[in-house]
Protein backbone atom coordinates (compact mmCIF):
# COMPACT_ATOMS: atom_id res chain seq x y z
CA UNK A 1 0.00 0.00 0.00
CA UNK A 2 2.94 2.30 0.61
CA UNK A 3 3.99 1.95 -3.01
CA UNK A 4 0.43 2.72 -4.12
CA UNK A 5 0.39 5.90 -2.03
CA UNK A 6 3.76 6.98 -3.43
CA UNK A 7 2.50 6.44 -6.97
CA UNK A 8 -0.67 8.45 -6.27
CA UNK A 9 1.45 11.20 -4.72
CA UNK A 10 3.62 11.36 -7.86
CA UNK A 11 0.48 11.70 -9.98
CA UNK A 12 -0.77 14.48 -7.71
CA UNK A 13 2.56 16.30 -8.04
CA UNK A 14 2.23 16.08 -11.81
CA UNK A 15 -1.33 17.39 -11.67
CA UNK A 16 -0.13 20.45 -9.71
CA UNK A 17 2.74 21.27 -12.10
CA UNK A 18 0.69 23.94 -13.87
CA UNK A 19 -0.62 25.31 -10.57
CA UNK A 20 -4.19 24.03 -11.05
CA UNK A 21 -5.87 20.65 -10.54
CA UNK A 22 -8.89 20.47 -12.83
CA UNK A 23 -12.02 18.45 -12.10
CA UNK A 24 -10.93 16.02 -14.84
CA UNK A 25 -7.52 15.57 -13.18
CA UNK A 26 -9.17 15.03 -9.80
CA UNK A 27 -11.53 12.47 -11.34
CA UNK A 28 -8.53 10.66 -12.83
CA UNK A 29 -6.80 10.65 -9.43
CA UNK A 30 -9.94 9.26 -7.79
CA UNK A 31 -10.18 6.53 -10.43
CA UNK A 32 -6.52 5.55 -10.00
CA UNK A 33 -6.90 5.60 -6.21
CA UNK A 34 -9.86 3.24 -6.47
CA UNK A 35 -7.91 0.83 -8.65
CA UNK A 36 -5.06 0.91 -6.13
CA UNK A 37 -7.34 0.27 -3.16
CA UNK A 38 -7.00 3.83 -1.85
CA UNK A 39 -9.77 6.20 -0.76
CA UNK A 40 -10.95 9.69 -1.72
CA UNK A 41 -9.40 10.85 1.58
CA UNK A 42 -6.04 9.56 0.31
CA UNK A 43 -6.52 11.66 -2.84
CA UNK A 44 -7.28 14.76 -0.77
CA UNK A 45 -4.22 14.13 1.37
CA UNK A 46 -1.77 13.70 -1.52
CA UNK A 47 -3.22 16.72 -3.33
CA UNK A 48 -2.72 18.86 -0.23
CA UNK A 49 0.84 17.59 0.29
CA UNK A 50 1.79 17.84 -3.38
CA UNK A 51 0.54 21.41 -3.65
CA UNK A 52 3.18 22.61 -1.20
CA UNK A 53 6.04 20.73 -2.86
CA UNK A 54 8.22 22.62 -5.31
CA UNK A 55 10.00 19.77 -7.08
CA UNK A 56 8.83 17.30 -9.74
CA UNK A 57 8.31 13.64 -8.86
CA UNK A 58 11.33 11.36 -8.92
CA UNK A 59 10.14 8.49 -11.04
CA UNK A 60 13.24 6.40 -10.39
CA UNK A 61 13.15 6.84 -6.61
CA UNK A 62 12.13 3.26 -5.89
CA UNK A 63 13.21 -0.16 -7.09
CA UNK A 64 11.25 -3.37 -7.20
CA UNK A 65 12.63 -6.06 -4.94
CA UNK A 66 12.40 -9.84 -5.25
CA UNK A 67 8.96 -10.87 -4.04
CA UNK A 68 7.27 -7.56 -4.93
CA UNK A 69 3.97 -7.96 -6.76
CA UNK A 70 3.16 -5.94 -9.88
CA UNK A 71 -0.43 -5.88 -11.09
CA UNK A 72 -2.31 -4.30 -13.95
CA UNK A 73 -5.94 -3.20 -13.89
CA UNK A 74 -8.52 -5.80 -14.82
CA UNK A 75 -10.13 -5.36 -18.21
Amino acid sequence: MGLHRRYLRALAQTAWQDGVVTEAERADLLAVAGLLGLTPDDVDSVLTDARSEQHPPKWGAFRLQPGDTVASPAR
Side-chain angles (χ1 to χ4, degrees):
M1 291 309 289
L3 181 59
H4 291 181
R5 284 186 187 91
R6 286 176 59 191
Y7 180 71
L8 187 64
R9 185 183 185 111
L11 292 177
Q13 289 171 331
T14 300
W16 275 117
Q17 281 184 337
D18 63 356
V20 175
V21 175
T22 66
E23 287 300 318
E25 289 169 327
R26 182 167 166 58
D28 287 345
L29 288 168
L30 289 167
V32 170
L35 292 170
L36 296 174
L38 300 172
T39 67
D41 287 340
D42 292 316
V43 172
D44 293 338
S45 178
V46 297
L47 282 171
T48 299
D49 292 345
R51 184 177 190 179
S52 65
E53 294 173 359
Q54 300 297 324
H55 53 81
K58 296 180 183 178
W59 292 103
F62 71 91
R63 300 255 188 261
L64 291 174
Q65 302 296 321
D68 286 347
T69 301
V70 178
S72 62
R75 292 183 182 211

